[in-house]
Amino acid sequence: MSNNFLRVLSFFSFPAGVFVFSYVISILFNAYAVYPWIDIPMHFLGGFAIAYTSYLFLRFFREKGYMEINNKALFTLIIVSLVALIAVLWEFYESLMKYFFDTNMQPSLEDTILDLFMGLIGGVVGAWVFRKK
């Protein structure tokens, strides 16, 4: 396999780790039922992880000469936009799981809005942290 492929694949290790951790604590410890508040930091952490992955991709594209973003506001906007897209897709996933498998991943509209908000806040914090590099 090419070195670039393995490098790009490694960009997903943080979000994949958050995903696996979320399911481990859910399945093994029933954490989301026992501690419903744990959903809030998990969505924040997910948004932060996606911001980090987005940062790695933008840095990779700059190194390869595909694109360079010198404006920090635009850089932040791109990262937050990617986090927002992934957050919405994640909520679609939760909705489909509820519809097809009767899971309780989306107990209410308020929960969905809070999940999106926390993901975006994690993304904004991540974008702010990584734009300084």
Side-chain angles (χ1 to χ4, degrees), residues 5 10 13 17-18 21-24 55 64 74 77-78 81-82 89 94 101 109 116:
F5 176 76
S10 75
S13 59
V18 171
F21 178 71
S22 174
Y23 274 92
V24 166
Y55 161 74
K64 295 295 178 186
L74 179 61
L77 178 65
I78 289 170
S81 297
L82 289 169
L89 292 174
E94 287 186 352
F101 301 108
L109 177 61
L116 288 168

Side-chain angles (χ1 to χ4, degrees), residues 16-74:
V18 171
F19 178 78
V20 168
F21 178 71
S22 174
Y23 274 92
V24 166
I25 65 171
S26 174
I27 293 168
L28 294 180
F29 303 108
N30 201 24
Y32 291 103
V34 176
Y35 307 105
W37 56 265
I38 205 158
D39 187 49
I40 295 168
M42 290 307 297
H43 278 83
F44 176 89
L45 189 58
F48 190 86
I50 296 300
Y52 181 65
T53 298
S54 300
Y55 161 74
L56 292 175
F57 268 106
L58 292 174
R59 188 177 71 180
F60 177 77
F61 293 153
R62 184 186 71 235
E63 289 171 6
K64 295 295 178 186
Y66 300 143
M67 113 172 58
E68 186 167 344
I69 302 166
N70 295 318
N71 184 312
K72 288 187 178 184
L74 179 61

